[in-house]
Amino acid sequence: MSLSRFVGRFRPYSVPLCLFALVAIAVLFVPPLVLGGATGRTYALTMAVLIVAISSVLPYAVAVGVLTVPFLYTGIGSYAAPEVLPTDAEPFGLAAALRHVIAGISYVVAATVVGAVGIGLDFAASSGSEPFTAMGFPPFPSLGFPPFLVLGGIVVAGVYVAVQLWRYERPVRGLGWETVLGTVVLGTFLAASPVVALWIFGSYGF
């Protein structure tokens, strides 16, 4: 299979596949870095943290998926593939809205998972452990707040924005500022997901 043909097949599914890869890398490789080994206990603790994080963020995830449907309705952006955006030939429909909502919920959960894994790095740094230094990386500076929690959401949001704009199969300049701005705003909701999950957990004790 030629590279161009592979890219053509990959493009429609690129956002979910890239975010799934980010989640898999974070869940499989970061916990052993923090806890010192890829053991059953390591992944059991990781799953416990992820269950708490996902249950905390679900109300926000549903709100983001549903309340951003106007982005889809007006044609300026979507969490689903650009093909669901309304056109003269294909007006706004329920199926497109459902795809947008499901994708939005899934991406919020993905951002939260990556951010929740980052909490382990934050705990390790605050307890005096230096997993990055042990691997030969420079020490991460103390910023006074959970930087890896925030960074997890930002990374997922950045990947979503970049790859989603690529899925339009047009140069960014040809998309129009409304589409670019709408996609960035949708990405911002993803970036905030881990912080919102932590806030909900702290406020309501989920």
PDB file of all heavy atoms in Angstrom, residues 37 62 84 86 89 175 183:
ATOM      1  N   GLY A  37       7.811  -0.015  38.432  1.00  0.00           N
ATOM      2  CA  GLY A  37       7.750  -1.304  37.759  1.00  0.00           C
ATOM      3  C   GLY A  37       6.385  -1.588  37.185  1.00  0.00           C
ATOM      4  O   GLY A  37       5.372  -1.095  37.693  1.00  0.00           O
ATOM      5  N   VAL A  62     -20.647  15.099  29.403  1.00  0.00           N
ATOM      6  CA  VAL A  62     -21.975  15.139  28.777  1.00  0.00           C
ATOM      7  C   VAL A  62     -22.352  16.577  28.445  1.00  0.00           C
ATOM      8  O   VAL A  62     -22.893  16.862  27.371  1.00  0.00           O
ATOM      9  CB  VAL A  62     -23.024  14.495  29.702  1.00  0.00           C
ATOM     10  CG1 VAL A  62     -24.430  14.679  29.141  1.00  0.00           C
ATOM     11  CG2 VAL A  62     -22.725  13.008  29.887  1.00  0.00           C
ATOM     12  N   VAL A  84     -19.649  15.458   8.924  1.00  0.00           N
ATOM     13  CA  VAL A  84     -20.972  15.580   9.547  1.00  0.00           C
ATOM     14  C   VAL A  84     -21.467  17.020   9.549  1.00  0.00           C
ATOM     15  O   VAL A  84     -22.637  17.266   9.868  1.00  0.00           O
ATOM     16  CB  VAL A  84     -20.974  15.044  10.994  1.00  0.00           C
ATOM     17  CG1 VAL A  84     -20.420  13.633  11.047  1.00  0.00           C
ATOM     18  CG2 VAL A  84     -20.201  15.962  11.931  1.00  0.00           C
ATOM     19  N   PRO A  86     -23.149  20.356   8.456  1.00  0.00           N
ATOM     20  CA  PRO A  86     -24.264  20.532   7.511  1.00  0.00           C
ATOM     21  C   PRO A  86     -23.840  21.254   6.245  1.00  0.00           C
ATOM     22  O   PRO A  86     -22.991  22.146   6.264  1.00  0.00           O
ATOM     23  CB  PRO A  86     -25.273  21.359   8.318  1.00  0.00           C
ATOM     24  CG  PRO A  86     -24.472  22.030   9.376  1.00  0.00           C
ATOM     25  CD  PRO A  86     -23.350  21.102   9.707  1.00  0.00           C
ATOM     26  N   ALA A  89     -26.504  20.085   0.582  1.00  0.00           N
ATOM     27  CA  ALA A  89     -26.961  18.745   0.205  1.00  0.00           C
ATOM     28  C   ALA A  89     -27.312  17.899   1.428  1.00  0.00           C
ATOM     29  O   ALA A  89     -28.209  17.059   1.367  1.00  0.00           O
ATOM     30  CB  ALA A  89     -25.886  18.043  -0.624  1.00  0.00           C
ATOM     31  N   LEU A 175      -9.712  27.294   5.272  1.00  0.00           N
ATOM     32  CA  LEU A 175     -10.833  26.845   6.101  1.00  0.00           C
ATOM     33  C   LEU A 175     -11.708  27.999   6.568  1.00  0.00           C
ATOM     34  O   LEU A 175     -12.894  27.813   6.836  1.00  0.00           O
ATOM     35  CB  LEU A 175     -10.310  26.086   7.328  1.00  0.00           C
ATOM     36  CG  LEU A 175      -9.620  24.748   7.067  1.00  0.00           C
ATOM     37  CD1 LEU A 175      -9.091  24.170   8.360  1.00  0.00           C
ATOM     38  CD2 LEU A 175     -10.570  23.773   6.393  1.00  0.00           C
ATOM     39  N   THR A 183     -12.777  25.227  16.161  1.00  0.00           N
ATOM     40  CA  THR A 183     -12.041  24.015  16.531  1.00  0.00           C
ATOM     41  C   THR A 183     -11.156  24.262  17.746  1.00  0.00           C
ATOM     42  O   THR A 183     -11.044  23.409  18.631  1.00  0.00           O
ATOM     43  CB  THR A 183     -11.190  23.533  15.346  1.00  0.00           C
ATOM     44  OG1 THR A 183     -12.042  23.319  14.203  1.00  0.00           O
ATOM     45  CG2 THR A 183     -10.475  22.228  15.670  1.00  0.00           C
TER      46      THR A 183
END
